[in-house]
Every structure is written in structure tokens, then in C-alpha cells.
Amino acid sequence: MDLSDRNMLIIGRSMQSLWITFSHRSAIGDAPGILFTGGCYFPRDKEEWKKMDPNIIMSCSRISDMVNYEIIDEMKSLEITDEEFAILKVLCFFTAVPQLSKDGYEIVQQAKRKYANILTELIRTKHSNKPFTEIIERVNRFMLILPTIEKVTQIDDETLSMMVIFNMAEMKDSLSHELHIGKNNIGCTY
């Protein structure tokens, strides 16, 4: 993959990679909500929201239930292993972004197929004593986390974009701006 494609993929998939990482850390750490860096978290308990800054509530409230119920709780229910998470994170990363070259798209598709097969084989090997249908169900449950990560990222991008436009929490010209809005302008010439 050429340098331009690599840069577009890294920038374009960074938020999804962060959300799957935050969710995994929350699941394995049994956090009282969505665990971010530095010990910060967005609480699951809506009563705790009353004590929080309105900008933080605006930023996370739209996605809190989705992240908690569809990703964190699902990871807990599956008792996701470190190996499964590592492969799931790679699968999350290898999703095409706009403006990749034809070769870039092909490489992303090959990687996605390769790591989906690796995840399937890992689960089949680790659960060889279970019926085939249970193995396929486990693979499917992991794969169904990925569209939720996409939706969470989309909602997060929309919310942060609005916050940047109105310079709420002084978001203009920040790293948040670059990760949520700037990624959509890579390679654009006006």
C-alpha cells in the first residue's frame, strides 16, 4: 500500500480504532461506564450525569446506551479474549475509506478477508468441542460489533462537528477537530 493510502487509512479509521479500544477496556475492566484514557469515564448511570459538564453530556449521551449495551455488554457476554480482541481491532481498522486508490481498496479487502478467516479459525480451534452452529454464532456476534462501532463513530463525528462549528468547549483547531472533521478533507482540493 502506498504512503498516501496508508495515511488516509490511518486517519480515516482512527476514531473507530479508539472506540473499539475504549469499549474493550471498559468490558475487561468492568468500568461503571465507557472508560476513556487517564481513568476518565462516561458513567452508565444517568443519575451521575446530573453532576457533569453539559458539554460532556452532549458529547457522549447520544452514544452511551449503544456503546454500553451493544458493544461493552456483548464483549462481556462473549468473554472476549485478548487474541479475539486483537483480531477484531484489525478487522475494524481494515475498512475502506474514501479516496483510496484501486490498489488500496484491494489491499484492504484482502486484509479484511484474511483476518476474518483468522478470527474464524481461532474460534474454531479454541472451541473445537462445541457444535459448528455455536462456533458460527460466536464469529457472527463478533462481526456484528463492527457495524455498531461504525454507527457510534458516525454519531460521535456528527456531535463533535456541531461542537466545533459552534466552538463549544473550544474545539476549533484542536486534535478533536482533526480526528472528527479534518479526516473528511484529506486529499481535497478546492
Side-chain angles (χ1 to χ4, degrees):
M1 181 177 290
D2 71 22
L3 184 60
S4 175
D5 282 344
R6 278 187 288 188
N7 287 339
M8 280 189 273
L9 193 61
I10 290 167
I11 293 167
R13 300 302 300 164
S14 61
M15 290 310 302
Q16 290 86 345
S17 295
L18 285 172
W19 275 112
I20 199 165
T21 302
F22 293 152
S23 299
H24 179 251
R25 289 180 55 209
S26 302
I28 64 170
D30 206 26
I34 304 166
L35 187 60
F36 297 109
T37 58
C40 297
Y41 71 95
F42 188 80
R44 186 181 284 233
D45 181 358
K46 291 178 174 68
E47 284 299 310
E48 290 186 46
W49 295 9
K50 295 175 183 174
K51 305 176 225 169
M52 297 176 69
D53 181 301
N55 287 324
I56 294 171
I57 295 168
M58 180 183 300
S59 173
C60 293
S61 63
R62 288 182 62 205
I63 55 176
S64 176
D65 287 344
M66 186 180 293
V67 172
N68 281 302
Y69 302 143
E70 293 191 43
I71 305 171
I72 295 170
D73 289 352
E74 183 70 347
M75 286 180 174
K76 285 180 181 179
S77 173
L78 288 163
E79 297 177 354
I80 188 171
T81 66
D82 289 342
E83 295 88 0
E84 290 166 333
F85 171 68
I87 298 167
L88 192 64
K89 188 172 180 180
V90 170
L91 280 166
C92 180
F93 177 76
F94 280 109
T95 298
V97 296
Q99 302 175 355
L100 283 179
S101 68
K102 184 176 188 288
D103 288 342
Y105 277 108
E106 289 174 6
I107 290 167
V108 166
Q109 290 303 315
Q110 288 170 0
K112 190 185 298 188
R113 284 190 295 271
K114 174 183 176 178
Y115 288 101
N117 288 336
I118 289 171
L119 178 63
T120 303
E121 185 59 25
L122 173 71
I123 292 171
R124 189 188 66 73
T125 302
K126 292 236 179 200
H127 301 274
S128 59
N129 60 331
K130 294 189 177 177
F132 180 72
T133 54
E134 286 184 35
I135 292 169
I136 294 302
E137 179 186 351
R138 185 171 179 84
V139 171
N140 287 338
R141 287 175 67 189
F142 278 118
M143 297 304 283
L144 289 172
I145 290 172
L146 298 176
T148 306
I149 293 288
E150 296 300 319
K151 186 63 178 172
V152 164
T153 303
Q154 177 187 357
I155 294 168
D156 189 36
D157 284 349
E158 291 167 0
T159 302
L160 270 287
S161 295
M162 188 264 312
M163 292 177 80
V164 166
I165 289 170
F166 294 105
N167 201 24
M168 300 169 79
E170 299 179 21
M171 291 278 195
K172 276 191 177 172
D173 300 321
S174 69
L175 179 59
S176 294
H177 174 272
E178 292 304 315
L179 289 174
H180 292 279
I181 298 170
K183 70 179 180 185
N184 297 320
N185 297 323
I186 297 170
C188 289
T189 55
Y190 298 100

